[in-house]
Amino acid sequence: MTTIRAAITSVGKYLPEDRLTNADLERMVDTNDDWIVSRTGIRERRVLREPGKATAFMAAEAAKLCLAKRGIGADEVDVILVATVTPDHVFPATACLVQALIGATNAWGYDISAACSGFLFALSTGAQFIVSGKHQKVLVIGADKMSAIVDYTDRNTCIIFGDGAGAVLLEPDDTGTGLIDSREYTDGVGTLESLWMKAGGSMHPATLETVAAGEHFIYQDGKTVFKRAVVGMADVAAEVMQRNGLTGDDVAWLVPHQANLRIISATADRMGVGMDKVMLNIERYGNTTAATIPLCLVDYEPVLRRGDNLILAAFGGGFTWGAAYVKWAYDGETV
Ligand code: UT7
């Protein structure tokens, strides 16, 4: 019997033009380029400053490019999944806004909230629609306008995050490529003290007091998250490799969530994968939350070859974490 898998058949990205460099941040908070580079690996991030534009805009631009490269119309898309923690509005879902912006007249869709693991969770979800035979073309998008929820007076968080969006198209494949396996985890214990946005939801709706107390910004206990991320990302990547009989030599690329270069190197170490086989763009974009992994896929697309074994891995708020084993479906750039 033929095995149908969900293959990534095209990718697209959007990055705002405005750059926020470490030198800019030195003028805003008590920090310095050396500290930021040595502790995180980040030199600059992108920030979407244009009024009237937010996550849906970036997601739609990434989606348009992804579809154009594959040469298919938006009306052929069946499902749009948007992973984000910075939706344009609490409701409607950002996916609905993207549907309208790209003119995907035959699609339905919804948002997935899993912070930095959002893209991986959405990929795994989207693949089910393909494998089940229900749908043929699923857009999976990771998009976040982190600048909307970052406190630019808090040096613990403002140095890390940036804005951006990445999109992939999933289609059925019976030739052995596509999403081979994935493993996802969630652990909500203690998460409210470590990584969250306190107000703005139904527990603490927006009031003058919540705004004055800065409760609509990200709060992160960096040390705790760092420790959990190092273990979580490395463990789950190793688990997926082990259950698929892969060694470091079999892996063409590690595609890690770009939160901190030190977390990425620890994961690569544990997998037995050299840094020359690790996709990196954290230096230029910082942590774009749900967008980091698809942005890596776009940036490295020209060097990817059909049959390459990719291990995608992420850790983030929730806590959420996971890894996916993807056998790449095509050579070089889609046109
Ligand atoms: O993507 C979602 C999940 N998020 C993550 O994976 C992020 C995980 N955490 C991290 O990446 C790191 O914890 C940070 C980059 C956030 C912080 O790095 P760290 O090495 O854990 O620094 P730290 O918080 O332990 O602080 C070390 C020192 C402290 O000074 P003292 O107490 O040693 O004197 C901080 O006050 O560095 C100081 N510090 C800074 N100095 C200059 C903290 N932030 C800064 C800063 N610039 N921006």
Side-chain angles (χ1 to χ4, degrees):
M1 212 183 79
T2 324
T3 305
I4 300 290
R5 294 202 173 92
I8 296 176
T9 56
S10 186
V11 296
K13 71 174 178 181
Y14 178 82
L15 288 157
E17 279 178 15
D18 274 356
R19 291 173 157 81
L20 182 67
T21 64
N22 290 351
D24 296 329
L25 287 165
E26 282 178 6
R27 290 189 285 272
M28 297 159 69
V29 289
D30 178 16
T31 190
N32 58 79
D33 179 57
D34 277 354
W35 192 95
I36 301 174
V37 172
S38 63
R39 298 283 179 134
T40 70
I42 303 168
R43 290 184 193 275
E44 61 179 38
R45 325 104 195 98
R46 300 299 182 90
V47 179
L48 181 62
R49 296 191 209 270
E50 288 167 75
K53 290 185 177 166
T55 300
F57 164 77
M58 296 192 292
E61 291 301 305
K64 281 192 233 169
L65 181 60
C66 176
L67 296 177
K69 285 167 72 183
R70 179 77 178 131
I72 67 166
D75 57 344
E76 291 180 59
V77 174
D78 300 310
V79 186
I80 300 169
L81 300 179
V82 179
T84 187
V85 287
T86 51
D88 287 27
H89 309 282
V90 172
F91 75 91
T94 308
C96 301
L97 306 178
V98 172
Q99 181 275 334
L101 284 167
I102 67 174
T105 44
N106 294 305
W108 63 290
Y110 55 94
D111 290 0
I112 290 182
S113 175
C116 300
S117 310
F119 177 79
L120 269 190
F121 284 19
L123 182 71
S124 166
T125 307
Q128 304 310 311
F129 291 121
I130 302 281
V131 170
S132 68
K134 184 169 168 65
H135 290 304
Q136 306 293 305
K137 289 183 172 51
V138 178
L139 263 178
V140 177
I141 306 170
D144 270 300
K145 184 184 169 185
M146 298 307 289
S147 61
I149 57 167
V150 163
D151 176 357
Y152 285 99
T153 65
D154 173 15
R155 70 177 184 173
N156 290 306
T157 51
C158 73
I159 55 141
I160 302 171
F161 294 102
D163 301 342
V168 306
L169 181 68
L170 297 181
E171 295 182 81
D173 178 283
D174 63 0
T175 67
T177 63
L179 178 65
I180 311 272
D181 190 19
S182 67
R183 179 74 166 102
E184 301 78 13
Y185 288 95
T186 294
D187 177 7
V189 176
T191 188
L192 296 187
E193 287 82 50
S194 308
L195 186 50
W196 66 323
M197 193 168 103
K198 185 169 182 181
S202 58
M203 179 65 86
H204 303 289
T207 61
L208 289 176
E209 289 74 25
T210 61
V211 172
E215 292 174 354
H216 297 269
F217 292 127
I218 303 172
Y219 169 79
Q220 174 173 265
D221 167 8
K223 258 192 189 4
T224 303
V225 180
F226 185 91
K227 284 184 202 149
R228 289 286 304 257
V230 165
V231 176
M233 231 162 92
D235 276 358
V236 73
E239 182 185 346
V240 166
M241 284 172 67
Q242 197 187 4
R243 69 187 200 182
N244 289 283
L246 299 172
T247 67
D249 289 343
D250 303 316
V251 175
W253 294 99
L254 164 63
V255 194
H257 169 53
Q258 313 276 306
N260 188 314
L261 191 54
R262 291 181 293 146
I263 299 174
I264 296 171
S265 359
T267 305
D269 243 24
R270 172 77 182 282
M271 293 168 61
V273 167
M275 287 303 280
D276 56 326
K277 295 204 289 185
V278 179
M279 291 193 189
L280 290 174
N281 55 24
I282 187 170
E283 192 180 3
R284 288 172 290 142
Y285 312 148
N287 181 350
T288 53
T289 303
T292 62
I293 289 180
L295 282 174
C296 278
L297 293 176
V298 184
D299 287 353
Y300 283 80
E301 186 192 29
V303 299
L304 287 173
R305 291 291 163 265
R306 179 176 163 82
D308 277 354
N309 289 324
L310 273 50
I311 298 290
L312 285 48
F315 184 95
F319 293 114
T320 55
W321 66 107
Y325 168 24
V326 171
K327 206 175 252 300
W328 197 249
Y330 58 93
D331 288 335
E333 284 178 274
T334 48
V335 259

